[in-house]
Amino acid sequence: MAQPLIEPITAEALPEFAEFLNAHLEGSRSKEAWVKGLKKSWGMAAPNHGFMLKDAGKIVGGIGAYYASRLINGKTERLCNITSWCVLNAYRKQSMRLAMAIIGQKAYHFTDFSPTKVVGGVLQFLKFRPLDERQAVILNLPWLSLGSKLIARASDIENNLSDNTLQIYRDHAVFPWLNHVLVGTPSNWCHVIYKWRLFKGLPAAHILFLSDRNVFDRHFRRLSAHFLSRGIVSTHVECRFIGRPPWPSVIRSGFNAKVFLSSTLADRDIDYLYSETMALDL
């Protein structure tokens, strides 16, 4: 029996792959939502939208991919974020071939921010490195923060950013499930992107990106008071994004580690911009 074929997911094939994900990925979104989410790319023309496994002309598995060209440490880098790895049980032995098709593409750094324990193990076998998965859970309090400013209105955020920082904001402001604030001072802002979640039945802010950890650390109390004024009880931020966790806080751990593959980038260079974490309402 011939091996199933591996093919790139082209723009024309994306609706078919989206229908496969809708049918077989647990908790899946609609076909239309998958197409809209997976067709994103930033700063470059995507070479594909991932790779799919086909047997007798029918999709039996696949891995989605997001591509972005980004400025990191003053250098233009190309990133590929793996997403939505789904293979039918009868074809699980072919999963490694799919992974090799993705990472066989040259001149990319690769990330996977939602691996299951099994997928994470497979990717670490392929030399992916785990990121620190610990999260600080911080109780929001009505702090007084003299000298700290906060901006939450979209037009004011645009007026206070420029160049690459403004482009990052505009690229992510299109996703309605993301919230943006600037905290700091007019000469030194930290751009914070967060999602509203529930934690132990109470509103929480899950921070997905902060542009400057030092500014964040200095001005967190202003952000904390802002969250509390909007009924958000706790702030959740990964320990790798910050210095010492603000008081009062606890550290949660035991999550599936996110992973990345790069010969030149370090874990401190990896964030969630231009990835499934932002582009999909997970």
Side-chain angles (χ1 to χ4, degrees):
M1 182 181 296
Q3 273 196 332
L5 298 175
I6 293 180
E7 300 177 2
I9 302 170
T10 62
E12 293 74 23
L14 185 55
E16 185 183 4
F17 180 61
E19 190 169 353
F20 171 80
L21 292 178
N22 172 253
H24 298 288
L25 200 60
E26 184 179 353
S28 186
R29 50 193 45 80
S30 69
K31 170 186 172 181
E32 293 74 21
W34 275 119
V35 170
K36 184 178 180 180
L38 286 172
K39 70 180 181 181
K40 288 283 186 183
S41 65
W42 299 271
M44 61 179 291
N48 52 64
H49 299 288
F51 288 84
M52 56 187 176
L53 190 69
K54 300 190 80 172
D55 191 12
K58 181 180 178 181
I59 296 178
V60 294
I63 304 177
Y66 289 101
Y67 295 90
S69 177
R70 295 186 51 193
L71 190 66
I72 300 176
N73 298 327
K75 183 180 177 182
T76 300
E77 306 283 2
R78 299 200 301 172
L79 286 89
C80 173
N81 172 236
I82 298 170
T83 181
S84 312
W85 191 346
C86 181
V87 180
L88 298 185
N89 286 335
Y91 296 87
R92 287 292 171 87
K93 291 183 179 180
Q94 304 294 325
S95 296
M96 188 68 79
R97 291 179 62 213
L98 274 172
M100 295 303 295
I102 284 278
I103 67 174
Q105 300 177 105
K106 303 300 182 184
Y108 289 98
H109 310 280
F110 298 93
T111 59
D112 189 337
F113 296 141
S114 58
T116 63
K117 187 174 182 179
V118 171
V119 167
V122 169
L123 292 177
Q124 290 187 54
F125 176 79
L126 295 174
K127 308 303 183 184
F128 278 68
R129 287 178 281 166
L131 295 166
D132 185 354
E133 43 77 36
R134 295 174 303 141
Q135 290 185 10
V137 180
I138 310 156
L139 180 65
N140 292 327
L141 295 172
W143 301 107
L144 291 177
S145 303
L146 299 178
S148 296
K149 304 292 184 182
L150 187 140
I151 294 174
R153 186 184 302 174
S155 59
D156 292 337
I157 292 175
E158 289 226 0
N159 290 336
N160 281 274
L161 297 176
S162 61
D163 302 325
N164 187 54
T165 59
L166 178 58
Q167 190 61 54
I168 288 172
Y169 170 72
R170 287 176 172 171
D171 287 340
H172 294 82
V174 299
F175 302 117
W177 44 85
L178 300 180
N179 301 282
H180 302 257
V181 297
L182 302 182
V183 66
T185 63
S187 62
N188 205 5
W189 292 115
C190 176
H191 176 199
V192 178
I193 303 177
Y194 70 96
K195 288 187 70 172
W196 186 95
R197 297 189 186 278
L198 287 176
F199 178 67
K200 297 186 181 298
L202 297 173
H206 181 197
I207 293 179
L208 301 176
F209 170 73
L210 53 91
S211 62
D212 190 313
R213 70 171 61 195
N214 293 323
V215 175
F216 177 86
D217 288 348
R218 287 197 301 271
H219 298 278
F220 174 74
R221 287 188 172 189
R222 179 67 183 86
L223 180 63
S224 177
H226 169 79
F227 284 155
L228 186 62
S229 72
R230 282 153 179 77
I232 299 174
V233 176
S234 60
T235 298
H236 300 236
V237 59
E238 292 180 27
C239 293
R240 66 190 184 91
F241 288 158
I242 58 176
R244 178 181 295 180
W247 181 90
S249 64
V250 296
I251 304 300
R252 299 179 69 213
S253 61
F255 303 98
N256 289 337
K258 302 165 176 66
V259 295
F260 76 105
L261 177 66
S262 173
S263 61
T264 58
L265 297 182
D267 54 0
R268 64 180 177 274
D269 301 317
I270 305 300
D271 57 39
Y272 299 133
L273 295 179
Y274 304 102
S275 73
E276 64 160 8
T277 305
M278 303 297 195
L280 297 176
D281 187 13
L282 299 174

